[in-house]
Amino acid sequence: MEILVILAVGLLLWMAWQLYRAKQFTQFKQFIETELKPKIIEYLKNELIENRSELFPNSDCHIQATIDYWCRYKVRILQFALAKEIITKQWLIKTGNTRNSQHLFHIEQSFIH
């Protein structure tokens, strides 16, 4: 009987830990959507406008298509932010989001550029 109580308490603790990790992951995805996405949009607009030429006119339609492509999935936003050093690997380590970013790359791997 005591073993069942110990197992039940262990199971409850494990489930509470999983819920805590899921909430952290959800907060990380919300951070990507609310904090990183506007920075990515601004970066893309500025970069495409600055690089206009006759060969690459970068019209408003092209700018919007580029923004739509990079901001469609959270993993692309994160990938772009890491590639352009809007956020760094050191920041991921410091904030404890390394595991969350690895998990996001895993579950959305089919959307990675």
Side-chain angles (χ1 to χ4, degrees):
M1 185 66 144
E2 294 170 357
I3 293 175
L4 290 176
V5 171
I6 292 171
L7 288 174
V9 169
L11 179 64
L12 286 174
L13 289 174
W14 181 79
M15 291 175 72
W17 175 248
Q18 294 302 317
L19 178 63
Y20 173 73
R21 288 180 54 200
K23 285 185 177 185
Q24 283 184 321
F25 183 66
T26 300
Q27 288 175 349
F28 179 66
K29 289 191 329 183
Q30 288 173 345
F31 168 79
I32 289 172
E33 192 68 30
T34 59
E35 300 289 327
L36 284 182
K37 187 175 180 178
K39 291 179 184 178
I40 299 298
I41 291 171
E42 189 65 30
Y43 184 92
L44 284 169
K45 283 182 182 178
N46 291 337
E47 183 179 315
L48 292 173
I49 290 171
E50 287 175 8
N51 293 328
R52 282 185 175 160
S53 65
E54 283 188 33
L55 187 57
F56 300 107
N58 293 338
S59 66
D60 290 338
C61 190
H62 181 264
I63 292 171
Q64 188 59 44
T66 304
I67 290 170
D68 287 344
Y69 176 79
W70 282 107
C71 294
R72 174 133 325 158
Y73 302 105
K74 289 173 181 56
V75 71
R76 285 188 190 156
I77 295 170
L78 181 61
Q79 181 184 12
F80 190 87
L82 287 168
K84 299 298 181 180
E85 296 184 352
I86 295 170
I87 61 170
T88 62
K89 184 178 178 184
Q90 303 303 351
W91 178 86
L92 288 174
I93 294 169
K94 187 175 97 176
T95 59
N97 284 316
T98 306
R99 174 80 175 125
N100 292 328
S101 63
Q102 290 172 341
H103 184 62
L104 184 65
F105 278 116
H106 176 72
I107 61 173
E108 292 189 1
Q109 66 187 345
S110 61
F111 306 123
I112 295 176
H113 172 70

